[in-house]
Amino acid sequence: MSWLAPLLLAAPLILYMVVFYAIPVVSMLLRSLNDPNWSLDHYVALPGDVVFLKVLWITLSTSFVVTLSTLLLGYPVALALSRARSIAPLILIVVLLPFWTSVLVRTYAWMVLLGRHGIINEALMALGVIEQPLRLLNTTLATEIATIHILLPYMILPIANALRQIDPSLALASSGLGATPWGTFRQVTFPLSMPGVAAGMLLVFVLALGFYITPAMVGGSRDITLSMLIAQEVDQLHWGYAATLSTLLLAIALGLVAIAQFLPGVGNAFRTSK
């Protein structure tokens, strides 16, 4: 009966997840099949739906750009966080600062910055760089910039954790064998940090797939993501189609997580050491 105590301890959380997550998800799955009648019509129609295909492409491409950008911006910060022990707490505070403010407030801040009469346009005009305000808000670029800012910590923290677990003696041994700092990074540090990189990329990509508030507020009318399309269908009371899109979005996210588990070294980032 040694297994009973852990089960009882986890019972409140299990009950909470079943009532507030599992049951609504199952209800959504069923609605995609039984609204208005039991059939696969909603799923069969998706490959021929031009609007859906365009929205799916926008969602995937935006998620890819955001993931790659957060990796390029976040890896140097994670490297500094793992090596600069004296200022690591300050860097960590800066990295975690976005978590202390709601997504809505941060998105409003980007609207102020990128608006036609926002701080960026006013500064550029004051410096004489431009004569008329640039169209920055309600563009694909605005969506990508704001999303990168919000999701950047999800890339930095897993990479920093992986870098901290690398034995410092490996870099010293590489240097002692005549490797340059770049060679040490390329052949030792970066390969050993790949589990953290993969975990960060997976987290950012999956979160970007379902992002709603930021694209809806700073994106343009032509940059509709899958989450925005789902919200529009719900507003129009097209419950069956909205449930179908939601199921597809969930399937893509779960599929990415499942695939990542089988990649070399990636699954270790999500396993608990014994």
Side-chain angles (χ1 to χ4, degrees), residues 21 25 50 97 149 173 234-235 268:
Y21 181 77
V25 169
V50 178
L97 192 59
H149 166 249
V234 171
D235 291 339
N268 295 334

Side-chain angles (χ1 to χ4, degrees), residues 21 25-26 28-29 202 205-207 209-210 246-262:
Y21 181 77
V25 169
V26 172
M28 176 192 68
L29 294 175
L202 180 63
F205 193 87
V206 170
L207 289 172
L209 280 177
S246 302
T247 303
L248 178 66
L249 185 60
L250 178 61
I252 294 175
L254 293 178
L256 290 172
V257 174
I259 293 173
Q261 297 296 320
F262 295 99

Side-chain angles (χ1 to χ4, degrees), residues 14-37:
I14 294 174
L15 180 62
Y16 177 87
M17 293 297 293
V18 168
V19 173
F20 294 103
Y21 181 77
I23 293 177
V25 169
V26 172
S27 176
M28 176 192 68
L29 294 175
L30 293 177
R31 175 157 281 186
S32 69
L33 297 172
N34 63 12
D35 190 346
N37 301 309

Side-chain angles (χ1 to χ4, degrees), residues 17-181:
M17 293 297 293
V18 168
V19 173
F20 294 103
Y21 181 77
I23 293 177
V25 169
V26 172
S27 176
M28 176 192 68
L29 294 175
L30 293 177
R31 175 157 281 186
S32 69
L33 297 172
N34 63 12
D35 190 346
N37 301 309
W38 284 96
S39 67
L40 295 174
D41 292 345
H42 292 303
Y43 293 96
V44 174
L46 287 180
D49 190 337
V50 178
V51 174
F52 162 74
L53 294 177
K54 182 179 180 181
V55 170
L56 180 62
W57 168 251
I58 292 174
T59 303
L60 293 175
S61 60
T62 301
S63 300
F64 177 78
V65 171
V66 169
T67 302
L68 183 60
S69 300
T70 53
L71 175 61
L72 296 177
L73 294 173
Y75 198 100
V77 178
L79 196 61
L81 187 60
S82 63
R83 292 187 176 180
R85 303 291 182 177
S86 59
I87 61 172
L90 177 61
I91 298 175
L92 187 61
I93 290 174
V94 174
V95 170
L96 296 178
L97 192 59
F99 284 119
W100 301 341
T101 311
S102 70
V103 175
L104 185 62
V105 172
R106 282 176 277 171
T107 304
Y108 268 121
W110 279 109
M111 294 177 67
V112 173
L113 290 171
L114 299 174
R116 184 173 179 83
H117 298 288
I119 296 175
I120 294 178
N121 272 318
E122 293 293 337
L124 292 176
M125 293 179 65
L127 294 173
V129 178
I130 58 175
E131 296 182 356
Q132 295 183 351
L134 300 174
R135 186 175 181 270
L136 300 176
L137 191 61
N138 303 126
T139 62
T140 303
L141 179 63
T143 300
E144 293 171 351
I145 291 176
T147 307
I148 289 168
H149 166 249
I150 294 172
L151 296 183
L152 194 56
Y154 294 98
M155 180 67 72
I156 294 175
L157 296 178
I159 297 176
N161 182 58
L163 289 171
R164 284 185 173 181
Q165 295 179 15
I166 298 176
D167 190 347
S169 62
L170 295 176
L172 295 176
S174 175
S175 178
L177 292 173
T180 62

Side-chain angles (χ1 to χ4, degrees), residues 28 31 35 212 226-247:
M28 176 192 68
R31 175 157 281 186
D35 190 346
Y212 172 71
L226 200 53
S227 59
M228 295 169 63
L229 181 60
I230 293 171
Q232 290 181 7
E233 295 300 323
V234 171
D235 291 339
Q236 296 174 12
L237 302 182
H238 297 161
W239 297 103
Y241 188 54
T244 302
L245 296 177
S246 302
T247 303

